[in-house]
Amino acid sequence: IGVDMRKRQQPHIEGPPQAPGHPRPNNCCMCWCGCCKCLWNEDRMERSERACTKMDSIEATEEQPTLDEVVAWARSFELVMRSSEGREIFREFLRSEYSEENLLFWLACEELKKETDPTAIDEKARIIYEDYVSILSPKEVSLDSRVREGINLSLTEPSNLMYEEAQLQIYTLMHRDSYPRFLNSSVYRDLLDSKRSSCLDT
């Protein structure tokens, strides 16, 4: 309640994009949907910029995907999410559907889960809440009331796993709803055609 009161007393300050339930020990970060086996404000603006820098490092593409990799994306959403280039292309598609915040939220949760410093956990948990969970945010993601209630309770003592159930919910939404449309989109098909043409030219 205290967090919401403070939130209502301040206008939301748009920062750069960021990336409760029971912890799932020994699970890899990609097995959210359960469909496969595990292969795997001046001051606030400054905090947001630092968090965004770390998020950008996740999304940085080290090398271009091969044709085989792009083809494999059509068989597995997990492979899309495991690939930096796959996430970048999928994010481009989500942006065209005005739902980019789902992937940004998922990425922000991944970054939070890696954090061990209590002060940084508190800071990042608050930023995620303000950017993606608060009803006052223009980038609010779609979460059910039970998950929201759990998050609100966790805010009194944030942990690096406090958004895990919410992250699962958004991952499942992207998998079931956005991913099939992504495979039929010009964003994916143009990339696939480009890779095939490149192979023919070599």
Side-chain angles (χ1 to χ4, degrees), residues 55-124:
M55 289 307 309
D56 289 342
S57 68
I58 286 183
E59 299 175 53
T61 303
E62 296 180 359
E63 57 184 32
Q64 291 295 311
T66 65
L67 172 60
D68 286 344
E69 288 172 326
V70 175
V71 169
W73 292 347
R75 297 195 298 268
S76 170
F77 182 56
E78 178 188 353
L79 293 180
V80 175
M81 296 294 280
R82 289 178 65 178
S83 161
S84 58
E85 178 71 8
R87 292 193 301 268
E88 183 178 327
I89 297 298
F90 186 54
R91 178 176 175 178
E92 180 183 340
F93 167 73
L94 292 177
R95 188 180 298 120
S96 73
E97 290 205 330
Y98 305 99
S99 58
E100 180 185 17
E101 65 276 1
N102 289 331
L103 180 58
L104 296 179
F105 170 73
W106 187 88
L107 289 168
C109 292
E110 284 297 289
E111 278 297 287
L112 176 62
K113 284 160 61 177
K114 298 173 186 176
E115 192 57 69
T116 57
D117 178 66
T119 301
I121 288 173
D122 181 76
E123 178 181 292
K124 289 183 178 182

Side-chain angles (χ1 to χ4, degrees), residues 6 21 24 39 87 137 181:
R6 289 197 299 275
R24 302 183 180 203
L39 301 173
R87 292 193 301 268
S137 173
R181 292 198 302 274

Side-chain angles (χ1 to χ4, degrees), residues 65-68 70-71 188-202:
T66 65
L67 172 60
D68 286 344
V70 175
V71 169
Y188 174 73
R189 292 189 174 278
D190 288 350
L191 175 63
L192 184 59
D193 290 344
S194 174
K195 293 296 178 182
R196 284 172 172 163
S197 295
S198 297
C199 286
L200 292 175
D201 292 340
T202 56

Side-chain angles (χ1 to χ4, degrees), residues 156-175:
T156 58
E157 192 173 343
S159 76
N160 61 347
L161 296 177
M162 64 176 286
Y163 291 108
E164 190 171 43
E165 190 170 1
Q167 189 185 21
L168 165 60
Q169 201 166 94
I170 295 304
Y171 183 97
T172 303
L173 175 66
M174 291 190 292
H175 187 190

